[in-house]
Amino acid sequence: MIPITVVDVRDAEDLVVEVLRSGAIAQGPMVKRFEDAFAHVAGTKHAIAVNNGTTALVASLQALDLEPGDEVITSPFTFVATLNAILEAGATVRFADIRRDDFAIDPDAVAAAVTDRTKVLMPVHLYGQTADMGKLAPFAAEHGLRIIEDSAQAVGASFEGRAAGSYGIGCFSLYATKNVTTAEGGVITTDDDALADKLRVLRNQGMRARYQYELAGHNYRMTDLHAAVGIPQLEKLDQLTAARQANAKRLSEGLAGTPGLDVPQVLPGREHVWHQYTVLVGPHAMLSRDELAAQLTERGIGNGIYYPKVVFDYDCYRGHPLIPGADKADFPVASAVADQALSLPVHPHLTDAQVEQVIATVREVLGA
C-alpha cells in the first residue's frame, strides 16, 4: 500500500533525549526555541505554542472577548475543529460558500454574509493553499473585522509573498499528519504585542507568575517534549515543501486530461505547500468519487476523503442555536466539492516509482 501520509520524526531523537535527560519536560526552553523558529516561518513577531490546533482557534477567539450574539464568518467546507472552536467560544457561526478553484471561502459570499453583528472573519487555508487574502484582508479592514486564519494545513504557504498566519491571528495545527508535526500541538501567530501577552497568560491558567492570576485561563501549554519533535522539521521545512511541490507537479502533469477528473490548481501569487493533493471526481467520470476511492484502495493506493460533507451537515449540529439557518442548499459549491473531493498521496517520502504508480492506477481505473 502506498500510504496517504507518512510520519517520520527520527531527526528529533537527539533533542528529545536532551529534554528527557534535563528532567524538565513540561513547557520550557525548548518550547521557546520552537516558537522563535515558527515565528520566523510565519513572518510574525510572535508565535505562541499551545497543545493542539483546536486550542489555537479557541484561545484566539477567547482573547478577543466576544459577546453573546457576535458572529464569526467561516467556510462550510473544513475540518470540524473550525466549527467546534467557534461554538466553544460562544460565538454565532455564519457560513459563506467556497470557490471551486482554491477550496477556500469566496470573498463575494463573505460580503453577502456579513451583518452588523459580525466581528470575526475566519478563512480556512485548505489543503496547503491560502484563501484569497488579497480580497479578504481589505474587506475585513473596511468592515472592522478581526481576521483569524485557520492555517492548520498551511504552514509555509503564502499569498503574494506574505505568509499564511500573518494577516491578523494565525492558527496552526501540528497534528501527526501535518506538514510539521509535534504529534499533538498548535501555534498562534500574531504581530500584536498585547494580544500575544494575553494569549501567553491565558494558556497558563491565567497566571503571569506563579499564583499571580490575571484572568480566567486554561491549561493550553505545549511540552518541551513535543517542541523537540517539531524543531528539526522547521529547520528543513523548505526541503520538505519542495518535495511535496515536486510530487504535486508530477501528479498534475500525469493526471491532466483524465476523463471526468479535475486536478488541483496553484493560483497566481500563491505558494502552495500541498498538505493534501485533492482532485475532484466530476459527474462525467466513469466512477463516482466513492467508487474511485474503493478501487484505488483495492489496488494499493492510499487515499482520503477530506471532507465527505459540509461541516454542519450532521445530526449533532442540526438546530444548534449558534448555527442559525444553516442549510446545505445555500452552499452549492461546498456541497458539490464535498461529493467530489478525493486526496491522493503527495507526501515528501514518495519515491518516483510510487508517484508514477499513483498516476497510472488512477488513469487506468478512470478509463484514460
Side-chain angles (χ1 to χ4, degrees), residues 45-367:
K45 290 176 65 177
H46 304 281
I48 301 95
V50 291
N51 53 10
N52 59 65
T54 308
T55 292
L57 292 167
V58 172
S60 297
L61 289 163
Q62 290 172 334
L64 297 182
D65 296 323
L66 300 179
E67 298 179 352
D70 287 347
E71 297 173 351
V72 179
I73 296 177
T74 195
S75 170
F77 186 64
T78 181
F79 182 57
V80 72
T82 310
L83 174 56
N84 285 343
I86 299 169
L87 298 178
E88 185 171 342
T92 298
V93 187
R94 290 183 64 84
F95 294 105
D97 208 356
I98 65 170
R99 292 183 358 192
R100 189 178 175 90
D101 58 357
D102 63 7
F103 303 107
I105 200 166
D106 185 336
D108 292 335
V110 170
V114 72
T115 75
D116 59 0
R117 293 307 306 267
T118 306
K119 304 298 182 188
V120 177
L121 175 59
M122 186 181 286
V124 180
H125 304 322
L126 205 63
Y127 303 142
Q129 182 167 226
T130 70
D132 187 350
M133 299 309 294
K135 293 182 178 178
L136 292 172
F139 179 87
E142 179 184 349
H143 289 81
L145 308 180
R146 300 297 294 266
I147 294 177
I148 298 179
E149 299 168 70
D150 186 337
S151 304
Q153 301 180 7
V155 58
S158 63
F159 181 91
E160 295 183 350
R162 185 169 175 179
S166 67
Y167 283 86
I169 306 171
C171 296
F172 295 83
S173 170
L174 305 170
Y175 180 65
T177 58
K178 295 298 190 290
N179 292 26
V180 172
T181 179
T182 59
E184 287 281 8
V187 181
I188 306 167
T189 54
T190 183
D191 285 326
D192 187 323
D193 295 340
L195 182 65
D197 180 70
K198 185 174 184 179
L199 286 164
R200 291 188 175 103
V201 172
L202 180 66
R203 75 174 171 185
N204 191 35
Q205 297 289 9
M207 291 188 293
R208 182 170 300 281
R210 191 166 180 82
Y211 303 130
Q212 178 188 334
Y213 300 103
E214 297 190 358
L215 51 82
H218 306 267
N219 177 3
Y220 289 158
R221 297 184 297 266
M222 177 186 280
T223 71
D224 267 17
L225 279 173
H226 287 88
V229 172
I231 289 170
Q233 295 166 67
L234 289 176
E235 292 173 345
K236 61 178 183 179
L237 181 59
D238 288 347
Q239 172 188 339
L240 294 170
T241 299
R244 289 179 178 272
Q245 291 170 335
N247 290 338
K249 184 174 185 292
R250 292 181 60 201
L251 286 168
S252 290
E253 290 172 347
L255 293 173
T258 303
L261 194 75
D262 290 340
V263 298
Q265 301 179 46
V266 181
L267 297 183
R270 304 192 208 186
E271 180 83 359
H272 200 318
V273 297
W274 298 104
H275 173 62
Q276 299 290 352
Y277 181 91
T278 302
V279 299
L280 295 176
V281 186
H284 303 299
M286 180 180 294
L287 301 174
S288 71
R289 186 270 312 279
D290 291 350
E291 290 170 337
L292 175 58
Q295 289 289 325
L296 293 177
T297 299
E298 185 176 311
R299 288 164 169 76
I301 307 298
N303 58 87
I305 297 174
Y306 312 111
Y307 300 93
K309 295 183 178 184
V310 291
V311 72
F312 57 81
D313 190 24
Y314 295 89
D315 287 344
C316 59
Y317 298 116
R318 301 189 205 284
H320 196 293
L322 297 180
I323 316 175
D327 186 331
K328 62 182 293 186
D330 294 329
F331 310 100
V333 180
S335 297
V337 167
D339 289 337
Q340 298 175 11
L342 182 69
S343 296
L344 303 173
V346 75
H347 59 81
H349 305 289
L350 289 169
T351 66
D352 291 346
Q354 287 175 325
V355 174
E356 292 303 320
Q357 185 179 343
V358 172
I359 293 168
T361 305
V362 172
R363 290 182 61 84
E364 175 191 352
V365 172
L366 288 179

